[in-house]
C-alpha cells in the first residue's frame, strides 16, 4: 500500500509517558511518595502485588526503579528536543500527583511541583507539540493509602478534585486533551498498582474493587464537569487498557465467555460514555454479594458528565473459552493460547488486526472519537559495536499496527491520534525493569540503575519520523 497518505493532516502523532516511569527525582523539590515509589524491582515486585501491606515503606535492601527512572527531571530539554526531531505533534505525559499534593490531602499545592510542569509545557510549546495530560497514572500519593485506605474511601473523590482543579486552573489555557485515570479497568487485575488498594486474603476483594471503581468513576465525572466549566473547549477522555477477547471456538459457550470477559473492561467505558451502570452488572453484583455505596447525586453526576472521547492502550488480544473465563481479571490471567498469534519476549500476544477489531468494537459501541494513547513492543535491544541499535522487530510491530489503524479509519472510525508507549526507554510498570524497552531513543541504564544515561537514536527513530512526515505513506 506504499505511497497512500493514510492519516489526515490534523491527526495527532507522538508518544506517551507516565511521570513515575521516566522522571526520577522522586523526592525532589517537595515531592511526596506515591504508591509506585514503594514498588520494588526484582522478584519482590510480584510478591508485593499479592501482599502490598508488607511493602509500604522504603527498605534499604530493595531497589526502587521509580526513584531515578531515566532522570527526565534533569534531562527534559534534551529529551523533548529529541521528540521534536521525530516531528511529534503530540506528547502524552502524566502529572505526578505527589509533586503537586505531596500527601494528597494538603491544603495548598506545592508550587515547585507546579513549576516543573510549567517548564515541561514551555518546552513542548516551543516545538508545537500538543501536551496530552493524564491526571492519575498509577501515582496515588502514598499518604492517601495510609491515612484513608486509598480509593476504598469516598473522601478520595474530594482530594482528587482539589488536585484536578489545581491542574485545570494552572494549565487549562495550554492543555486541551485530558484523561482522568490511566487504564481505570486495571484495578480489577492490579488493585494496588492501579488504585493503591491494600487487600489481603481476608478482604472481600470484589466488593472493595468495585466500590473503589465507583468512587473513581464519580471522581472522573466530577472532574469532567469541572473541566468543562473552567476550560471551555477542553476535552476529557476516559482511558481503558483494552485487550479484546476472542472466543477459542465457535462453541456457543465459548462465544458467551468472550462476550462476558469483554464486559469486565467495557463496564468502565459504558459508565464513562453512557453515564449509567450497565444492566449486566446487576446480576454480577448480586451473585458476588457486592453492595455499593451509590448516592442519587452520584447517579446524576455520572449521567450529566459523560466523557468527550474514549482513549485506550492496545498491546495485545486475548483468547478465552468457557472453562477459563475469569470474573475479575481483565488481562492475561484469563487467557488461553491462541495458535494463530506470535508472542513478544515477555509473552504478550502480538496481534495487529486486533487493534482494528478494537477500534471498530469501541466505535460501534460508543460513537465517540477514539484516541490510541499507548501501543508498542517491549523488547530487549542489543547495542552493536558501532553503537547502532537495529530494532527491526519494533519497526515491524508498529508498522503492522499502524496499517491496521489506517484500515479502521477507512472503516469509518473517528480517531484523534496515535501515541506510542515509551518513545524513550523507561521503567516498565508491570515488572520494574529498564530492559523491557519500548523506545525510539535508547537510554543507557540497566535494571539495577547502572549506566551513563546517554540517549541514542535507534533505527526506529528515523523510521517513525518518516511515518509522521508522510502521514503513513511510508508504511
Ligand atoms: P509494561 C498490563 C497490560 C497492559 C497495559 O506495560 C499495562 C499493563 C500494566 O503492566 O499497562 C500500560 O511497562 C500502562 C503503562 C505501562 C504500559 O502499559 O508492563 O499504562 O504505564 O508501562 C506497558 O511493559
Amino acid at each position: 500500500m506504499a505511497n497512500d497518505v493514510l492519516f489526515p493532516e490534523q491527526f495527532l502523532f507522538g508518544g506517551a509517558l507516565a511521570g513515575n516511569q521516566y522522571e526520577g527525582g522522586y523526592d525532589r523539590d517537595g515531592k511526596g511518595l506515591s504508591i509506585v515509589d514503594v514498588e520494588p524491582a526484582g522478584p519482590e515486585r510480584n510478591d508485593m502485588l499479592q501482599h502490598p501491606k508488607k511493602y509500604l515503606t522504603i527498605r534499604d535492601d530493595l531497589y526502587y526503579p521509580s526513584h531515578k527512572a531515566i532522570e527526565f527531571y534533569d534531562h527534559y530539554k534534551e529529551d523533548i528536543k529529541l521528540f521534536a526531531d521525530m516531528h511529534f505533534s503530540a506528547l502524552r505525559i502524566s502529572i505526578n500527583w505527589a509533586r503537586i499534593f505531596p500527601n494528597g490531602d494538603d491544603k495548598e499545592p506545592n508550587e515547585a511541583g507546579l513549576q516543573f510542569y510549567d517548564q515541561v509545557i514551555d518546552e513542548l510549546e516551543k516545538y508545537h507539540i500538543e501536551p496530552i495530560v493524564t491526571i492519575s497514572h498509577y501515582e496515588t500519593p502514598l499518604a492517601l493509602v495510609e491515612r484513608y485506605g486509598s480509593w476504598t474511601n469516598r473522601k478520595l473523590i474530594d482530594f482528587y478534585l482539589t488536585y484536578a482543579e489545581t491542574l485545570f486552573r494552572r494549565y487549562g489555557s495550554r492543555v486541551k486533551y485530558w484523561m482522568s485515570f490511566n487504564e481505570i479497568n486495571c484495578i480489577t487485575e492490579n488493585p494496588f498498582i492501579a488504585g493503591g488498594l491494600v487487600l489481603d486474603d481476608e478482604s472481600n476483594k470484589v466488593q472493595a474493587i468495585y466500590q473503589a471503581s465507583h468512587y473513581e468513576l464519580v471522581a472522573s465525572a466530577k472532574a469532567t464537569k469541572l473541566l468543562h466549566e473552567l476550560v471551555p473547549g477542553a476535552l476529557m477522555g476516559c482511558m481503558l487498557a483494552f485487550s479484546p477477547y476472542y472466543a477459542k471456538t465457535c462453541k456457543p459457550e465459548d462465544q458467551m465467555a468472550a462476550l462476558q470477559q469483554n464486559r469486565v473492561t467495557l463496564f468502565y467505558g459504558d459508565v464513562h460514555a453512557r453515564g449509567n451502570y450497565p444492566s449486566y452488572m446487576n446480576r454480577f453484583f448480586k451473585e458476588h454479594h457486592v453492595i455499593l455505596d451509590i448516592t442519587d447525586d452520584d447517579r446524576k453526576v455520572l449521567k450529566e458528565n459523560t466523557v468527550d472521547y474514549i482513549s485506550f492502550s492496545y498491546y495485545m488480544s486475548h483468547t478465552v473459552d468457557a472453562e477459563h473465563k475469569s470474573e475479575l481479571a481483565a488481562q492475561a490471567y484469563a487467557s488461553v493460547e491462541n495458535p494463530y498469534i506470535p508472542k513478544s519476549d515477555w509473552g504478550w500476544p502480538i496481534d495487529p488486526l486486533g487493534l482494528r477489531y478494537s477500534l471498530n468494537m469501541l466505535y460501534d459501541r460508543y460513537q465517540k472519537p477514539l484516541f490510541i494513547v499507548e501501543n508498542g513492543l517491549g523488547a530487549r535491544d542489543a547495542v552493536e559495536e558501532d553503537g547502532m541499535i537495529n530494532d527491526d522487530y519494533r519497526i515491524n510491530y508498529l508498522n503492522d499496527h499502524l496499517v491496521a489503524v489506517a484500515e479502521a479509519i477507512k472503516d469509518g472510525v473517528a480517531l484523534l491520534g496515535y501515541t506510542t508507549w515509551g518513545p524513550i526507554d523507561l521503567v516498565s510498570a508491570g515488572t520494574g525493569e529498564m530492559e523491557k524497552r519500548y523506545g525510539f531513543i535508547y537510554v543507557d541504564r540497566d535494571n539495577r540503575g547502572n549506566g551513563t544515561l546517554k540517549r541514542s537514536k535507534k533505527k526506529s527513530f528515523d523510521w517513525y519520523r518518516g511515518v509522521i512526515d508522510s502521514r503513513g505513506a511510508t508504511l
Side-chain angles (χ1 to χ4, degrees):
M1 58 160 57
N3 298 326
D4 274 356
V5 170
L6 300 176
F7 300 98
E9 194 128 20
Q10 70 283 10
F11 191 79
L12 294 168
F13 253 123
L17 305 155
N20 71 86
Q21 292 174 253
Y22 75 126
E23 286 173 355
Y26 82 110
D27 60 354
R28 295 268 293 274
D29 299 324
K31 181 181 166 295
L33 291 181
S34 78
I35 51 175
V36 68
D37 297 323
V38 294
E39 289 169 19
E44 288 83 5
R45 199 175 184 90
N46 269 333
D47 190 42
M48 179 213 59
L49 295 180
Q50 304 309 319
H51 307 103
K53 216 174 256 173
K54 295 193 328 209
Y55 292 92
L56 296 180
T57 51
I58 292 174
R59 280 168 37 181
D60 290 343
D61 59 326
L62 296 177
Y63 174 65
Y64 297 95
S66 73
H67 293 194
K68 298 193 296 178
I70 61 159
E71 300 184 29
F72 174 85
Y73 203 76
D74 295 312
H75 290 252
Y76 68 93
K77 289 193 178 170
E78 175 189 352
D79 293 346
I80 291 172
K81 172 149 192 338
L82 285 163
F83 300 146
D85 286 349
M86 270 185 283
H87 299 172
F88 279 17
S89 53
L91 186 74
R92 173 179 174 229
I93 58 171
S94 75
I95 307 265
N96 208 331
W97 190 344
R99 280 196 200 288
I100 313 301
F101 287 93
N103 299 293
D105 61 355
D106 315 75
K107 290 275 166 286
E108 297 297 326
N110 171 32
E111 177 58 27
L114 289 165
Q115 274 171 20
F116 172 64
Y117 295 104
D118 286 337
Q119 289 162 8
V120 170
I121 296 171
D122 285 347
E123 250 357 77
L124 293 174
E125 282 179 352
K126 189 160 125 190
Y127 300 110
H128 310 288
I129 298 174
E130 179 94 41
I132 297 163
V133 171
T134 317
I135 298 170
S136 177
H137 192 130
Y138 298 172
E139 295 162 331
T140 308
L142 189 61
L144 293 181
V145 176
E146 291 160 341
R147 296 177 190 168
Y148 303 96
S150 192
W151 284 98
T152 59
N153 191 326
R154 185 179 273 278
K155 288 202 173 94
L156 268 274
I157 298 174
D158 287 334
F159 297 135
Y160 177 91
L161 279 178
T162 303
Y163 164 53
E165 178 171 356
T166 305
L167 303 187
F168 299 157
R169 290 193 188 278
R170 181 81 166 217
Y171 311 118
S173 61
R174 313 171 77 187
V175 175
K176 180 175 175 190
Y177 297 94
W178 298 83
M179 276 164 236
S180 48
F181 289 93
N182 180 63
E183 297 189 333
I184 186 165
N185 56 303
C186 279
I187 198 169
T188 60
E189 185 199 355
N190 278 323
F192 183 73
I193 288 190
L197 306 192
V198 179
L199 307 177
D200 51 30
D201 296 340
E202 277 78 61
S203 310
N204 182 346
K205 287 192 181 160
V206 185
Q207 169 74 31
I209 286 168
Y210 282 95
Q211 186 63 69
S213 298
H214 175 68
Y215 293 145
E216 289 193 344
L217 289 163
V218 172
S220 178
K222 287 192 168 183
T224 303
K225 180 171 196 275
L226 200 59
L227 178 67
H228 290 158
E229 283 164 8
L230 294 176
V231 194
L235 302 175
M236 180 66 84
C238 61
M239 199 298 200
L240 307 172
F242 201 75
S243 307
Y245 278 88
Y246 302 141
K248 188 180 172 190
T249 74
C250 51
K251 195 170 140 195
E253 284 80 359
D254 289 349
Q255 295 291 329
M256 193 66 210
L259 184 146
Q260 288 181 317
Q261 198 70 55
N262 278 317
R263 284 175 169 172
V264 176
T265 303
L266 291 168
F267 158 65
Y268 293 87
D270 288 353
V271 178
H272 267 117
R274 300 167 171 167
N276 51 38
Y277 270 62
S279 49
Y280 58 80
M281 288 309 275
N282 293 336
R283 177 172 185 180
F284 176 84
F285 289 149
K286 207 165 160 196
E287 290 180 353
H288 290 81
H289 312 289
V290 172
I291 297 169
L292 293 185
D293 162 36
I294 304 186
T295 65
D296 290 346
D297 187 57
D298 291 348
R299 291 191 199 281
K300 186 164 180 282
V301 164
L302 291 173
K303 187 84 223 157
E304 289 174 359
N305 301 283
T306 53
V307 287
D308 301 305
Y309 67 99
I310 314 284
S311 70
F312 66 102
S313 62
Y314 177 84
Y315 293 90
M316 60 194 132
S317 61
H318 289 308
T319 304
V320 73
D321 60 17
E323 203 185 323
H324 293 89
K325 181 170 86 71
S326 136
E327 253 132 19
L328 269 186
Q331 304 289 347
Y333 304 141
S335 224
V336 298
E337 290 293 315
N338 185 331
Y340 303 102
I341 294 178
K343 286 187 179 154
S344 77
D345 293 347
W346 271 264
W348 288 15
I350 298 176
D351 178 17
L353 187 56
L355 180 50
R356 178 177 170 196
Y357 182 90
S358 301
L359 286 159
N360 277 282
M361 187 175 178
L362 293 170
Y363 196 62
D364 280 352
R365 196 169 180 111
Y366 301 127
Q367 297 283 302
K368 295 202 188 222
L370 305 179
F371 201 149
I372 301 163
V373 294
E374 291 183 28
N375 175 232
L377 180 69
R380 264 177 246 288
D381 289 330
V383 185
E384 307 289 338
E385 266 170 37
D386 60 1
M388 277 303 295
I389 297 141
N390 295 310
D391 56 343
D392 293 284
Y393 36 90
R394 185 169 292 108
I395 292 173
N396 291 338
Y397 177 102
L398 294 171
N399 188 94
D400 294 351
H401 282 74
L402 279 165
V403 169
V405 173
E407 287 299 313
I409 293 175
K410 286 184 196 158
D411 293 333
V413 169
L415 186 63
L416 295 167
Y418 173 89
T419 56
T420 65
W421 179 248
I424 184 166
D425 292 344
L426 78 184
V427 176
S428 158
T431 70
E433 292 161 293
M434 236 344 273
E435 287 164 26
K436 187 180 185 189
R437 299 175 184 277
Y438 286 87
F440 305 112
I441 302 160
Y442 185 86
V443 178
D444 182 17
R445 168 154 275 175
D446 70 13
N447 286 344
R448 302 302 296 179
N450 304 309
T452 63
L453 283 180
K454 183 173 172 295
R455 277 69 166 143
S456 38
K457 299 174 184 177
K458 304 180 194 177
K459 186 175 177 185
S460 55
F461 186 101
D462 286 339
W463 171 83
Y464 194 44
R465 183 179 50 206
V467 173
I468 294 174
D469 284 351
S470 70
R471 284 188 278 126
T474 52
L475 291 170

